[in-house]
Each structure stands twice: as C-alpha cells, then as structure tokens.
Amino acid sequence: MTALDLSSPVAVAGAGTMGQGIAQVALAAGHPVRLYDAVPGRARDAAGAILARLDRLVAKGRLGGPERDAARARLRPAEGLAELADCALVVEAVLEDLDTKRDLLRALEDIVTEDCLLATNTSSLSVTALGGALRAPGRLVGLHFFNPAPVLPLVEVVSGSATDVWSATRAYETARAWGKTPVACADTPGFIVNRIARPFYAEAFAVYEAQGADPATLDAVLRESGGFRMGAFELTDLIGQDVNESVTHSVWTAFFQDPRFTPSLAQRRLVESGRLGRKTGQGWYDHRPDAEPAEPHTAEPAAPPAYVVAEGDLGPASELLALIREAGIPVREEDEDHGTRLVLPGGGQLALADGQTSVEFRDVVYFDLALDYRRATRVALSASQDTTTRTLAEATGLFQALGKKVSVLGDVPGMIVARTVARIVDLAHDAVAKGVATEEDIDTAMRLGVSYPLGPFEWSRRLGRNWAYALLDDLHLRDPSGRYAPSLALYRHAYATDKREGSTS
C-alpha cells in the first residue's frame, strides 16, 4: 500500500489553528490543498495566514521563493463542501464535539467519491463512534496531529473498530510521505500519548494536594532531576488548564472512572476560578507582566558527611557511588542482602525512593530518581518529622558536595520523579498488553509527542524489570484506592524475570 499520489487533492475541513497547520503540512508535501470552514470568509482568511507563514519561512531562508510560489498556486479556499468532491483525502479538524464532527462526516460522505479517505484529527473522541455515523465506516481513520502541526513530527494513526486495513495503511504511508513520524494505535481513550501521559500531570498535582511541595519546586525537580523539558505545572499553564483538565476528564470518563485516571480537584478549582494559565495571566503561576517569577525551594548549604557506608548497590542509583568518590568522600562498601542504601556517619540512612515513607523507619531520608545522576543539577530529598536534623543535614550536604541543588519535599511515598516514571511505565505495559500499540511505537510517541527524555520501555529496561512494579506495589499498600495498583501486564513482566532467576517470591 502506497501513500497518496502528490497530484491527488487533499482537503482540510476546519480552518482553525490545527486545520491551518495540517493544510500547511499537506501543501508543503506537494499536494493541491482545499481549505474549508463553515463560517463564511474564514477559509479565505486562513489561507492568507498560511501564505503569510510561508513568506516568513522564505525570509528566514528556510523555504525557496519558487517553492513558496508553487505552494501558493496549489492552495485554494473552498466556499462550500461541494468543492471537495474530487479530493482523495479529507481531514476534519473542527470543534471537538461528537455531534459536530459526525454531522460534517455524514455530509462529506454524500459528496466525495467512494475511494476518498476520510480522517478525523480528534484528540479525545472515539474514532469508532464517529465512524458509526457513516454508511462506510471502514474508510474513516484517525490522523491525530500535534500542535503546531508543521513543526511537531508525530502523527497518531488511529484505527477504529470498523476501520479497514487499507484505510489505516494508506493514512500511515501518507503521513510518512509528508515527512511525519506516524505511529499506529487502536481506538482507545487518549490513544497513545494522552493515555500514557496522564500520570505526568496527575502525580505532580497529587503531591501538591498532599502539601508535599509547591509547584515551582516540583517543576524544578521534574526538569532538573527527571530530565523532562517542562514541569507539569508550567506545561499545563502553557496548554491551558481548561484544555488539559478536559482531556483528563474525558479519558477518566471513557475508562469508566478508572481510579488510575482520576482528575485533580486542585486543577478543577483553577478552572472554576478562571485561572487557565498563560492565556488568562494566571494559573498555577502568575504570568502577569509585573509578577515575580516563582522560585523553587532550595536547601541552604550544609557540610558533607565525612564518609558513607554503602549497603547494596543502590540499584538505579548505583552511579552515585562513583560520584561520591570523585567528590573526595570515602565510600565503605558492605554486601547486604536486605537493603540498598547509604548509611551516614550519624547513623541515619539514605535510600532511593521506593514507594515507602520515611516515617515508617528510624531516621531515614529518601532521595528521588534521576534520569542521569551525573548530569542532574537538582536532587529531591524526602524526610518525616521523625528524621533527625543531623541526618537530613548530612544527606543535603552529600548531594551538594556532588554539585547538586537540593530540594526537600514532605514525607511523600515515591516522591515525584520516581512515582511518575513508575506509573508511566505501568500504563505503557498495560497498553501493549491490550493491543493499543507496540512498544516501539509507544516509545516513539512519548518522545516525539510530549518530549519525554526516554520512552517508557527505554526507562523500564534502564531501571530493571522489577523496579516499577515494586514501587507501585508499595504505593498501593499505602493508598489502596486503586490508583497505584500495578497492572497485570506489569506484574507478569516482573514475575517472569523472577521465575527465570529461580525465585517465586
């Protein structure tokens, strides 16, 4: 199955931001493009906006003048749907409303030829439900572009329950011919990205609601330790709190109120108050011109410990031992079957976040997961009211001696990076087990769609098969609501390894 021939006209119905972006992508690929909108004059204005963007690309040297002129000749605003009759592909990009999209698709079906491919750019609605309104639902496929469509490479190619293999394959190959990176997925709530990304927002909001830390501190830890491009609070302020919450609520509802996708009450209050983020001037942060930027909590300087005792290999944090030695702090290593931790001179312990709380143990400080401890510029610690001042100071001084800023969170099980990554890994394994997408496509989608530093399965391999399951199992014991219950897929993944190693525990 091959992509659409470049001589085949492509139409976009809906001339908003996303519709314009998709039209520009098809135009840049070399197709004749028709742009339609139900509001009189909007398609013409949108075509003018696309041409203006092409002019700016020429001015920046990113597009040649002849290519711009050729594209100008291929772009045509359409005053009515009848002008789309000869198109080989029509992508609808109208209001994210089921009835509105259904009505448009029905109208298109009466106009276009039988072999015309119909596509929806929906980000949250069911492709199956949209196709159910058509006489020939097999020709409808989801083509979910990400905003801005001309810039972001990812396209989720979504097959509804009735979508023909021919339609999905033609759409996939066409997206690839347009210079995009397509990933194939089944019609599931949130598709790939919006399904698997929910914990990134949800866990940050949950730690905030539990008074574990303020937004600026959590964002700083996610960026500087977790390796994420933006923190959850600043990203949702950019997206719009209403938009982000709507997607979360849609996925939660579509999964029959599965507790793993429970929306945030704190975010709901933001939306109710009209503090929607950058577009209104206030959200989690104050974005007004005279506002002072919010600063993360950073611990005051503390003296490093004279030495540390390493019991076990620290698992995913084992590279810390080399960093500690390089900082001139002696490391005494002891083989211990019952723990992977550092013992500090005062007798307190320092352990990697594992889903347990500091208050459960005598004088323990937890430290959070980092994408790369050598490159991380900030590390989060977690302590309880029972942690001694000396232990917290020694733990703080240790990481400061490694050149890291230190943020101290409340006694939050799993902290923030560790619990977020564990939940993302779990949802990814669950998605593969349920036939949503392949491991490779999920990793590609999460890296390209939301700029994660690693795909979930890349993280899983790096952290070890048992890591995410063990952390979530501990979290589930402390919060048995079902939010942290490991999926059966993750359990099987972890247990299979144990069995090969001769363990049935």
Side-chain angles (χ1 to χ4, degrees):
M1 183 66 63
T2 58
L4 291 176
D5 188 272
L6 290 181
S7 64
S8 302
V10 170
V12 179
T17 300
M18 185 57 74
Q20 291 179 34
I22 297 170
Q24 184 176 334
V25 170
L27 193 65
H31 288 274
V33 174
R34 316 278 170 74
L35 187 57
Y36 168 80
D37 197 281
V39 178
R42 183 174 289 177
R44 190 169 299 278
D45 292 342
I50 293 172
L51 295 176
R53 285 196 289 274
L54 296 182
D55 288 340
R56 290 195 291 272
L57 291 175
V58 172
K60 295 176 181 179
R62 298 178 184 173
L63 182 69
E67 289 79 10
R68 183 267 318 276
D69 295 341
R72 183 188 297 272
R74 294 195 306 272
L75 179 61
R76 192 179 91 197
E79 298 299 328
L81 284 179
E83 296 179 48
L84 313 185
D86 65 337
C87 289
L89 166 65
V90 181
V91 183
E92 73 77 14
V94 298
L95 180 69
E96 194 74 353
D97 174 77
L98 185 66
D99 290 335
T100 302
K101 290 181 180 291
R102 276 178 166 174
D103 290 346
L104 174 59
L105 290 168
R106 284 196 197 101
L108 287 168
E109 191 175 38
D110 291 336
I111 293 168
V112 299
T113 60
E114 291 184 359
D115 60 349
C116 175
L117 183 63
L118 296 179
T120 171
N121 185 56
T122 182
S123 62
S124 61
L125 300 177
S126 166
V127 175
T128 301
L130 291 170
L134 302 178
R135 295 188 303 275
R139 64 161 145 181
L140 179 68
V141 63
L143 274 179
H144 180 213
F145 289 78
F146 288 74
N147 192 29
V151 176
L152 295 183
L154 184 69
V155 177
E156 292 178 320
V157 181
V158 186
S159 293
S161 297
T163 301
D164 293 333
V165 173
W166 179 92
S167 301
T169 305
R170 174 61 64 90
Y172 185 98
E173 294 300 333
T174 297
R176 184 158 61 179
W178 290 358
K180 296 300 180 182
T181 303
V183 292
C185 65
D187 184 22
T188 183
F191 309 142
I192 298 175
V193 172
N194 280 329
R195 172 180 178 147
I196 295 174
R198 293 349 291 166
F200 178 74
Y201 312 108
E203 293 313 307
F205 299 163
V207 173
Y208 168 76
E209 289 174 342
Q211 301 186 61
D214 60 279
T217 299
L218 292 170
D219 277 352
V221 175
L222 285 166
R223 288 193 313 269
E224 299 173 42
S225 183
F228 293 96
R229 182 172 295 181
M230 299 179 74
F233 299 90
E234 58 186 336
L235 180 55
T236 53
D237 265 3
L238 178 63
I239 295 169
Q241 299 303 330
D242 52 339
V243 174
N244 182 260
E245 197 226 15
S246 176
V247 173
T248 297
H249 197 274
S250 175
V251 172
W252 176 63
T253 301
F255 276 115
F256 308 105
Q257 301 185 356
D258 186 326
R260 295 177 301 168
F261 300 100
T262 301
S264 162
L265 180 59
Q267 188 180 38
R268 175 94 290 265
R269 293 291 180 256
L270 276 184
V271 174
E272 289 174 339
S273 67
R275 290 176 291 167
L276 307 182
R278 289 185 177 274
K279 62 187 176 182
T280 61
Q282 287 181 291
W284 296 110
Y285 297 105
D286 191 341
H287 301 281
R288 291 172 294 183
D290 58 345
E292 293 289 330
E295 296 293 335
H297 166 75
T298 301
E300 294 294 325
Y307 65 89
V308 295
V309 178
E311 296 184 348
D313 64 3
L314 297 186
S318 58
E319 66 180 319
L320 279 176
L321 298 181
L323 297 180
I324 293 170
R325 290 190 178 97
E326 290 170 16
I329 300 173
V331 178
R332 306 173 187 171
E333 293 193 56
E334 295 181 2
D335 290 331
E336 292 286 340
D337 293 334
H338 62 274
T340 54
R341 60 195 176 187
L342 296 176
V343 179
L344 300 166
Q349 299 175 24
L350 184 60
L352 177 63
D354 59 4
Q356 301 182 85
T357 60
S358 296
V359 76
E360 298 173 53
F361 306 98
R362 185 186 66 82
D363 210 13
V364 169
V365 171
Y366 280 105
F367 64 94
D368 209 348
L369 181 69
L371 174 69
D372 183 332
Y373 283 99
R374 184 173 292 277
R375 296 184 179 181
T377 58
R378 184 180 299 269
V379 171
L381 303 179
S382 175
S384 74
Q385 65 269 26
D386 294 331
T387 304
T388 65
T389 302
R390 177 175 178 177
T391 295
L392 183 56
E394 288 179 339
T396 300
L398 174 63
F399 282 104
Q400 288 174 340
L402 306 185
K404 318 299 181 187
K405 295 177 182 177
V406 173
S407 292
V408 180
L409 312 184
D411 189 15
V412 179
M415 304 190 69
I416 180 58
V417 179
R419 71 197 287 179
T420 298
V421 170
R423 289 208 56 218
I424 289 170
V425 167
D426 182 44
L427 290 185
H429 278 280
D430 185 54
V432 169
K434 292 177 178 174
V436 173
T438 65
E439 291 186 9
E440 181 181 4
D441 276 357
I442 287 175
D443 275 355
T444 298
M446 302 313 291
R447 287 196 313 269
L448 298 184
V450 279
S451 300
Y452 283 4
L454 294 175
F457 293 97
E458 292 173 312
W459 248 316
S460 184
R461 289 188 289 272
R462 176 183 288 198
L463 296 169
R465 279 178 171 264
N466 296 321
W467 180 84
Y469 177 81
L471 188 144
L472 291 176
D473 195 41
D474 277 336
L475 271 171
H476 179 55
L477 288 173
R478 288 151 185 82
D479 179 359
S481 64
R483 180 187 184 105
Y484 300 104
S487 67
L488 180 58
L490 190 65
Y491 172 78
R492 284 172 172 157
H493 180 73
Y495 179 76
T497 301
D498 286 347
K499 190 173 182 179
R500 283 196 294 271
E501 292 173 354
S503 169
T504 57
S505 61

